[in-house]
Amino acid sequence: MNNPPSEIPRRAFIERLLTGSLLVMACPWPDVSASERRTGPNDRPNYAFVIDVDECIGCGKCVAACKRENDVPDKVTRTWVERYVATNRGIYVDSPGAGIDGFPEEVPEGIAESAMWAAFVPKLCNHCKEPPCVQVCPVGATFRSPEGFVLVDPEHCIACGYCVQGCPYGARFINPITHIADKCTWCYHRVTRDLLPACVTVCPTGARRFGDLNDPESPAARVFATDDYSVLKPVMHTGSMCFYVNLPREVV
């Protein structure tokens, strides 16, 4: 049987309390990692893709790597590269074979002579925060994952094509082999294992970058912090998570 506590004089109680408080204050707090201070231990990453147009040379290695990594069939592609040539008569755009084999030096007659500038612009799924494709899917097969990736559930997709039509970036297609909606996933299966997307790993100039915006040292966060970036079709207000650096305003 426990004995009742003996009565402690008020002054002694206060002295003990103060002494205990001072001891606690003197003990160092457990070390907390920088990432936990920044986001909290339960916060999820906030991934973003960055493309520096000035660095892209149109080699097509990114397109080839994507096809190998994701087993993308012929005649469709999850990512592609477009060549923009501005002339005094307008903008010339081409993307032979999605740019997988690079670009020929030849352009239609009259284009080269009147060219004012040219740029290679890689394109892919923007993994929007407000994705139109998710909104139009009638069965919920297209969804946004907790990590922010826009994905397709193959078990529920009915290949109606609404998401293909709803994507303002032309980033979706119906896979001719699986007969379900398909798109770039930013290599979700790699990123969730702490690997970079395949296209990023093969880019010889560093034009493609990927990272967590919650990590100030990531390539994506460094670009985002400068506020010197653009997104495609900003009037759509999709919350695109694909940021472009040095993007000509004529590019759509």
Side-chain angles (χ1 to χ4, degrees), residues 17-230:
L17 180 62
L18 289 173
T19 303
S21 298
L22 290 173
L23 286 173
V24 171
M25 292 174 66
C27 294
W29 291 103
D31 185 39
V32 179
S33 69
S35 61
E36 287 178 330
R37 291 193 188 99
R38 182 174 59 254
T39 64
N42 297 320
D43 283 8
R44 297 187 178 95
N46 186 22
Y47 292 113
F49 211 103
V50 174
I51 295 174
D52 189 337
V53 174
D54 280 358
E55 297 297 328
C56 182
I57 58 176
C59 65
K61 290 183 178 180
C62 52
V63 182
C66 174
K67 280 187 171 287
R68 288 193 303 268
E69 179 70 28
N70 298 288
D71 197 23
V72 180
D74 293 337
K75 298 183 179 180
V76 290
T77 187
R78 289 186 172 191
T79 185
W80 67 101
V81 181
E82 295 176 352
R83 174 172 57 179
Y84 284 72
V85 181
T87 74
N88 53 18
R89 293 183 295 177
I91 303 294
Y92 169 78
V93 184
D94 68 344
S95 182
I100 193 170
D101 295 318
F103 290 77
E105 294 184 6
E106 298 80 12
V107 293
E109 185 177 353
I111 298 296
E113 294 79 5
S114 59
M116 296 181 290
W117 58 261
F120 295 109
V121 182
K123 293 189 176 182
L124 66 168
C125 176
N126 287 233
H127 290 266
C128 310
K129 286 193 172 182
E130 300 293 337
C133 55
V134 171
Q135 299 171 27
V136 300
C137 180
V139 294
T142 290
F143 64 99
R144 193 165 185 264
S145 78
E147 302 89 354
F149 293 79
V150 178
L151 304 172
V152 178
D153 183 345
E155 298 298 322
H156 290 84
C157 179
I158 58 175
C160 64
Y162 287 174
C163 63
V164 177
Q165 297 297 321
C167 175
Y169 309 105
R172 285 175 166 257
F173 58 92
I174 300 298
N175 190 303
I177 305 298
T178 63
H179 304 292
I180 61 172
D182 205 335
K183 59 180 282 297
C184 159
T185 64
W186 282 358
C187 284
Y188 177 78
H189 62 289
R190 291 175 57 89
V191 174
T192 52
R193 292 186 288 124
D194 294 326
L195 299 173
L196 289 171
C199 61
V200 174
T201 64
V202 300
C203 181
T205 62
R208 288 180 178 238
R209 308 166 198 168
F210 183 82
D212 179 6
L213 294 182
N214 290 333
D215 178 3
E217 298 304 317
S218 78
R222 288 198 294 268
V223 169
F224 193 73
T226 66
D227 201 31
D228 186 21
Y229 59 87
S230 307

